[in-house]
């Protein structure tokens, strides 16, 4: 029988990406070796280093290569610091749109003693990924934000029935695998057409999931309830910008953005592991970056691929990574300072490796 096999792309991104992505690959490889999974890692240039070497942050051939893989890891991108030159583009929306990764799955979970506001949070926000207000991804050509005069700026929000239905179906399937509860977050009291359409399509999609309880909340009310009673939520689905903001709020409940992983998925067989935080240039190279979000995102990728393709060793590798993560987070000496630890990135990785090897 052939050895179970995955081919995964590795795109470090910028700044701390060159530290946390190799850490995630190291842990995933250690878990894969224990589970009997063969992984071929394909490093590819992206971001500022690619701009300096190839003249573009997204070199020719990268997308074609990624399309032939099972999935890939994308490190944080520091596009705000890119020089204003041709070729210095933000790779995020290009990757999401090219591979139709319309659902951004962002878990929020409490761990003991790391600075969580509550000890019993376990929820997932599923953010629509390719529409909404974000002008770098809501139109095919041009920009969804423009300035017709020096004193006027117009931003266009794009909501489609298909896009709303697809992300709703992904969230419903996820809810079915958990506690069978889905909350739709919107603002249809004001955005009667845009959010109204989103809510309509979510309820239509829910007809195929009669075992999932569905409710809804206005976004500002939800933002308040998320602070006061996050335990009442299981899976949440919302539009792009609302999801972007709410997931940062949720991360603040459980230790900060270093504890905010993410997985971008679609209907196809490819997925992208991507932590939700930025590239943190202020601590790049210091060894203080918290690798949890990137490592957990990579673990989610292995788990998703294992389920999608029925590869038991990939699911086992994901479980081994979870064991390593829990071990490192349980000891202040192997946690980074942002989550009440005295350790460094290397200490977290070493503790995870030890737990995986046991």
């Amino acid at each position: 029988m052939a050895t179970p096999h995955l081919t995964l792309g590795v795109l470090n991104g910028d700044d701390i990406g060159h530290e946390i992505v190799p850490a995630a690959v190291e842990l995933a490889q250690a878990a894969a070796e224990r589970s009997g999974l063969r992984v071929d890692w394909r490093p590819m240039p992206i971001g500022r280093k690619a701009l300096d070497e190839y003249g573009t942050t997204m070199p020719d051939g990268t997308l074609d290569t990624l399309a032939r893989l099972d999935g890939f890891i994308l490190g944080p991108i520091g596009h705000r610091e890119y020089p204003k030159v041709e070729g210095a583009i933000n790779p995020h929306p290009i990757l999401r749109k090219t591979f139709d990764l319309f659902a951004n799955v962002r878990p929020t979970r409490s761990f003991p003693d790391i600075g969580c506001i509550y000890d019993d949070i376990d929820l997932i926000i599923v953010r629509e990924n390719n529409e909404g207000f974000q002008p770098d991804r809501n139109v095919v050509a041009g920009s969804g934000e423009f300035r017709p005069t020096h004193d006027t700026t117009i931003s266009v929000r794009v909501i489609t029935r298909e896009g709303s239905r697809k992300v709703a179906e992904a969230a419903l399937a996820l809810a079915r695998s958990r506690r069978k509860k889905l909350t739709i977050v919107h603002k249809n009291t004001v955005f009667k057409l845009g959010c109204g359409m989103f809510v309509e399509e979510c309820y239509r999609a829910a007809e195929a999931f009669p075992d999932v309880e569905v409710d809804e909340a206005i976004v500002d009310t939800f933002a308040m309830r998320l602070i006061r009673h996050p335990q009442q939520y299981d899976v949440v689905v919302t539009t792009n910008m609302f999801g972007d903001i709410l997931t940062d709020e949720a991360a603040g409940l459980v230790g900060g953005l270093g504890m905010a992983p993410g997985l971008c998925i679609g209907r196809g067989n490819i997925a992208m592991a991507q932590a939700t935080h930025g590239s943190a240039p202020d601590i790049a190279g210091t060894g203080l970056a918290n690798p949890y979000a990137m490592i957990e995102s990579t673990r989610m990728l292995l788990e998703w691929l294992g389920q999608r393709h029925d590869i038991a060793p990939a699911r086992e590798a994901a479980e081994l990574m979870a064991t390593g993560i829990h071990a490192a987070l349980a000891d202040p000496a192997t946690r980074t300072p942002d989550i009440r630890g005295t350790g460094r990135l290397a200490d977290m990785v070493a503790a995870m490796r030890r737990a995986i090897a046991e």
Side-chain angles (χ1 to χ4, degrees), residues 134-333:
Q134 278 80 340
D136 57 359
R137 72 199 68 167
N138 64 6
V139 294
V140 172
S143 173
E145 186 174 55
F146 55 97
R147 184 169 295 165
T149 73
H150 288 295
D151 302 315
T152 303
T153 299
I154 298 174
S155 296
V156 176
R157 184 188 192 210
V158 176
I159 302 290
T160 68
R161 291 197 182 277
E162 181 183 10
S164 301
R165 185 172 60 254
K166 288 192 301 185
V167 74
E169 289 171 348
L172 285 158
L174 186 60
R176 172 176 279 173
S177 71
R178 286 169 50 91
R179 301 195 298 272
K180 296 181 172 56
K181 181 178 180 181
L182 177 73
T183 301
I184 307 164
V185 173
H186 59 86
K187 187 76 169 178
N188 68 2
T189 51
V190 175
F191 299 104
K192 297 182 183 297
L193 297 182
C195 278
M197 179 184 290
F198 181 79
V199 174
E200 287 172 13
E201 290 304 314
C202 286
Y203 277 116
R204 286 177 181 169
E207 293 174 3
F209 296 81
D211 54 326
V212 177
E213 175 190 351
V214 179
D215 62 11
E216 59 180 276
I218 302 300
V219 64
D220 39 338
T221 302
F222 176 84
M224 179 271 293
R225 290 176 180 168
L226 184 61
I227 294 294
R228 292 177 60 84
H229 304 293
Q231 301 87 351
Q232 68 183 291
Y233 298 110
D234 180 24
V235 178
V236 176
V237 65
T238 191
T239 53
N240 200 336
M241 183 169 287
F242 290 164
D244 197 15
I245 296 168
L246 291 172
T247 50
D248 277 17
E249 180 189 0
L253 297 174
V254 296
L257 286 174
M259 303 301 295
L263 184 70
C264 296
I265 62 173
R267 286 177 173 168
N269 291 323
I270 193 169
M272 176 176 71
Q274 181 188 20
T276 65
H277 57 68
S279 64
D282 56 320
I283 60 169
T286 66
L288 295 176
N290 181 352
Y292 166 81
M294 194 72 259
I295 291 169
E296 173 63 11
S297 301
T298 303
R299 190 204 67 78
M300 291 169 64
L301 175 63
L302 289 182
E303 182 178 59
W304 187 87
L305 290 171
Q307 293 172 346
R308 191 77 163 191
H309 302 295
D310 193 22
I311 303 174
R315 297 193 298 269
E316 182 182 345
E319 292 173 1
L320 287 167
M321 289 184 72
T323 299
I325 288 167
H326 282 78
L329 292 177
D331 184 355

Side-chain angles (χ1 to χ4, degrees), residues 28-195:
Q29 180 61 28
E33 290 173 0
R34 280 293 309 274
S35 70
L37 174 70
R38 182 165 67 89
V39 182
D40 289 340
W41 301 99
R42 302 289 177 85
M44 281 172 282
I46 201 168
R48 180 57 191 262
K49 281 195 171 184
L51 178 67
D52 294 341
E53 186 171 352
Y54 300 100
T56 176
T57 54
M58 180 69 78
D60 291 342
T62 296
L63 295 177
D64 290 338
T65 300
L66 291 174
R68 296 190 292 270
L69 307 183
D70 296 300
F72 53 96
I73 304 169
L74 176 65
I77 299 294
H79 61 92
R80 291 183 61 181
E81 302 301 322
Y82 291 167
K84 306 298 183 183
V85 297
E86 185 177 356
I89 54 178
N90 180 5
H92 283 161
I94 298 171
L95 293 167
R96 292 169 177 171
K97 294 284 281 188
T98 298
F99 299 106
D100 196 23
L101 302 174
F102 54 80
N104 197 331
V105 179
R106 296 184 166 189
T108 300
R109 182 179 179 185
S110 302
F111 289 92
D113 304 321
I114 67 168
C116 298
I117 294 178
Y118 302 96
D119 294 329
D120 54 355
I121 301 174
D122 181 11
L123 63 90
I124 298 177
I125 296 177
V126 182
R127 166 195 175 194
E128 197 289 318
N129 225 11
N130 289 331
E131 298 183 347
F133 270 120
Q134 278 80 340
D136 57 359
R137 72 199 68 167
N138 64 6
V139 294
V140 172
S143 173
E145 186 174 55
F146 55 97
R147 184 169 295 165
T149 73
H150 288 295
D151 302 315
T152 303
T153 299
I154 298 174
S155 296
V156 176
R157 184 188 192 210
V158 176
I159 302 290
T160 68
R161 291 197 182 277
E162 181 183 10
S164 301
R165 185 172 60 254
K166 288 192 301 185
V167 74
E169 289 171 348
L172 285 158
L174 186 60
R176 172 176 279 173
S177 71
R178 286 169 50 91
R179 301 195 298 272
K180 296 181 172 56
K181 181 178 180 181
L182 177 73
T183 301
I184 307 164
V185 173
H186 59 86
K187 187 76 169 178
N188 68 2
T189 51
V190 175
F191 299 104
K192 297 182 183 297
L193 297 182
C195 278

